[in-house]
DNA sequence: AACAATTAACTTGTGCACGAGTTAATCGCC
DNA sequence: GGCGATTAACTCGTGCACAAGTTAATTGTT
């Protein structure tokens, strides 16, 4: 077979062998399921994630939202301004530390939560996994995130 | 406990319960590991995916690249123009069907492959999973992609 | 042969992600 | 108490993703 090159087993460059591609494809495909559901309440997927963080515990500093979602200010600052324009949140400088901006939920932002309650149900249906499989997947994904985060930190 | 609302078990809005977030976080974290590796050969991660597709089988129509990566023309057209500007690919209208644009590898695009050979090795090291775990993860991710794709198609 | 429908690719506009550089407030240290 | 270092947030520029609309070539139907 002269037209097929010999490569080391663990270094295949075939697309379907790359875990990264499965991850990337799955992530985009799941986000695509969220889109029409979130359209109904007027949020994008990253905006929904920020609201999840705030519904869990608000008011919070932007720094804390950043840490929870692993997103930097360059992403969050404009996103939070859009959420503010939508009337879901308010930003406020802290008295005792003028560097910090605190994000609080408005009345509207709080009541939006009840409209989002059925989103996770619909999503878990779309994933088509059993509870056990979901748990396995989540465990593996968390380990991947932890390993790669540490790996990246080690190269800094 | 009056300050903690009662919610149905399967519809938690807690961030850490959302599989989607684990998926989103893992995908971005893995891409972050690729970034410095791909910087060395001057590619972004999506550009690298396109090159993987082409190294596997070129020349190909843009339509085929789109199908392989589940990316639409709005993403691919400018990306391919950048790869062309880098000298890795060439675009060419097909004689027998003037609608189709065929993408072929240049000499430079072909030799780039050898420089990319050690990327997957480094990545699999960074993931920190055994071969068996990697296989399990990939299997679950593929099922998620298949289920969600079908689910989205059913709502069209 | 004529023409409606489909198809491949492109364009435009919006919203992430992220790197790099900037600003202003606070902290640490002498 | 003063001053360099750090920190929180912002800004700017690039490159995806994706929806929606456009264009030109091809196909299918009569």
């Amino acid at each position: 077979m002269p037209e097929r090159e010999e490569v080391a087993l663990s270094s295949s460059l075939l697309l379907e062998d790359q875990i990264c591609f499965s991850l990337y494809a799955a992530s985009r495909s799941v986000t695509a399921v969220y889109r029409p559901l979130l359209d109904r309440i007027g949020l994008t997927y990253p905006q929904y994630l920020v609201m999840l963080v705030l519904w869990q515990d608000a008011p919070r500093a932007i720094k804390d939202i950043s840490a929870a979602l692993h997103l930097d200010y360059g992403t969050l600052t404009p996103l939070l301004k859009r959420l503010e324009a939508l009337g879901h949140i308010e930003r406020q400088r802290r008295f005792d530390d003028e560097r910090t901006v605190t994000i609080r939920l408005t009345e509207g932002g709080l009541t939006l939560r009840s409209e989002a309650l059925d989103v996770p149900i619909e999503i878990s249906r779309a994933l088509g996994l059993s509870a056990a499989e979901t748990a396995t997947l989540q465990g593996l994904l968390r380990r991947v995130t932890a390993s790669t985060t540490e790996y990246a930190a080690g190269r800094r």
Side-chain angles (χ1 to χ4, degrees), chain A residues 11-150:
Chain A
S11 82
S12 159
L13 283 181
L14 296 179
L15 180 67
E16 60 267 24
D17 290 351
Q18 313 278 329
I19 254 274
C20 69
F21 175 66
S22 309
L23 200 50
Y24 168 80
S27 179
R28 281 171 40 235
S29 186
V30 169
T31 306
V33 174
Y34 272 96
R35 201 165 296 119
L37 298 175
L38 295 178
D39 267 353
R40 297 209 287 249
I41 56 175
L43 293 179
T44 66
Y45 179 65
Q47 287 167 8
Y48 169 72
L49 291 179
V50 169
M51 293 305 288
L52 282 184
V53 168
L54 292 171
W55 286 328
Q56 208 162 327
D57 184 15
R60 292 174 93 140
I62 299 184
K63 174 182 148 68
D64 295 334
I65 301 175
S66 167
L69 298 177
H70 314 300
L71 286 172
D72 75 359
Y73 294 105
T75 303
L76 283 176
T77 298
L79 190 158
L80 290 170
K81 284 183 178 169
R82 279 176 221 116
L83 284 179
E84 189 179 26
L86 288 169
H88 297 322
I89 63 167
E90 275 168 7
R91 51 178 58 232
Q92 196 175 0
R93 289 268 162 197
R94 229 169 69 188
F95 332 78
D96 57 331
D97 186 345
E98 291 263 333
R99 292 172 302 179
T100 320
V101 173
T102 297
I103 304 293
R104 60 176 62 255
L105 287 168
T106 61
E107 195 73 27
L110 195 59
T111 58
L112 197 65
R113 184 182 183 280
S114 57
E115 300 180 52
L117 274 175
D118 53 346
V119 170
I121 304 173
E122 199 69 11
I123 293 297
S124 79
R125 190 175 299 151
L127 292 185
L129 298 183
S130 70
E133 288 169 330
T134 303
T136 302
L137 176 57
Q138 183 144 30
L140 288 170
L141 290 174
R142 280 178 181 154
R143 279 185 48 204
V144 165
T145 304
S147 299
T148 49
T149 301
E150 194 188 350

